[in-house]
Amino acid sequence: MTRRLLLTVAAVAALLLPSTPAAAAETVYYAAPCASGAFTGYAGSLDGKRPLVVLSGWARPCVLTPSGTKFGFVHYYQQTALLPIDDSIGTGLKDYKVLAGRTEFTVTSDLTSTAHTQLESELGQLTAICLIRDRNARLACVAVDRPTPDAAPVVTPLPVDDERVRSIPVTGQLESGDIAPITQHCGNCI
């Protein structure tokens, strides 16, 4: 089972990460040393027969954050969590557009996309999505419940320290890198 999970994560990583070794070597993502953020809107809907999760909100890095830093969205499945760097499942890494203010966003995750369907077939159903400043620092989360595969997802707020997101390891890029991670006393970096 563990071997199969690792093979699945490797296959999905091949879909979500840069395609050539040279591109992978040149691609470095940095997280803000601290940030605040929130979902201001969240909904599950159907577009024809396609179930969608639509999230809107904002992220704001703390003062002294260098340019080029990013924020992202972690998708939590029953067995693991992934931080996509591109929009193949709808929520790739995003640049802070304003370093001295809020960066507004709206993202849509199509739960019938090829990448997402493959992920769910191997990793279990999507259970949550979190806005993050780095892969270990959640800013806001929502639970995603799907009563049936063809029904609109039910999307509700979820505490960032809920067991559904706290206990699952995150795979993907977005490290604090050489920027010292500040995880305490950052909730008020507005």
Side-chain angles (χ1 to χ4, degrees):
M1 180 65 179
T2 301
R3 184 174 186 272
R4 184 175 178 185
L5 177 62
L6 291 173
L7 290 173
T8 299
V9 170
V12 170
L15 287 172
L16 301 178
L17 298 176
S19 59
T20 65
E26 296 171 8
T27 307
V28 177
Y29 302 104
Y30 291 105
C34 62
S36 54
F39 289 126
T40 56
Y42 41 86
S45 65
L46 284 177
D47 180 13
K49 292 190 175 191
R50 293 181 9 216
L52 306 173
V53 174
V54 181
L55 304 169
S56 59
W58 57 272
R60 180 181 187 162
C62 52
V63 181
L64 302 183
T65 294
S67 62
T69 57
K70 298 181 180 292
F71 64 95
F73 305 87
V74 172
H75 286 235
Y76 290 85
Y77 296 87
Q78 291 167 328
Q79 298 179 28
T80 194
L82 295 174
L83 172 60
I85 61 170
D86 64 20
D87 286 331
S88 61
I89 58 176
T91 54
L93 295 178
K94 308 293 182 205
D95 291 316
Y96 290 103
K97 294 178 185 168
V98 182
L99 290 177
R102 292 180 174 187
T103 296
E104 306 281 334
F105 63 81
T106 298
V107 293
T108 301
S109 187
D110 179 353
L111 303 186
T112 60
S113 70
T114 303
H116 182 80
T117 302
Q118 181 180 356
L119 287 168
E120 279 198 335
S121 71
E122 296 293 330
L123 305 177
Q125 191 169 9
L126 177 70
T127 61
I129 300 174
C130 292
L131 167 66
I132 53 97
R133 75 163 176 86
D134 78 22
R135 69 181 185 170
N136 297 310
R138 295 176 294 277
L139 302 174
C141 297
V142 292
V144 178
D145 296 306
R146 292 174 60 201
T148 63
D150 58 346
V154 177
V155 183
T156 55
L158 184 70
V160 296
D161 60 351
D162 187 275
E163 184 67 22
R164 286 175 275 188
V165 295
R166 186 182 68 224
S167 64
I168 297 179
V170 177
T171 302
Q173 298 183 17
L174 190 57
E175 300 288 342
S176 292
D178 59 358
I179 302 169
I182 301 171
T183 57
Q184 298 179 2
H185 312 295
C186 186
N188 296 323
C189 47
I190 291 175

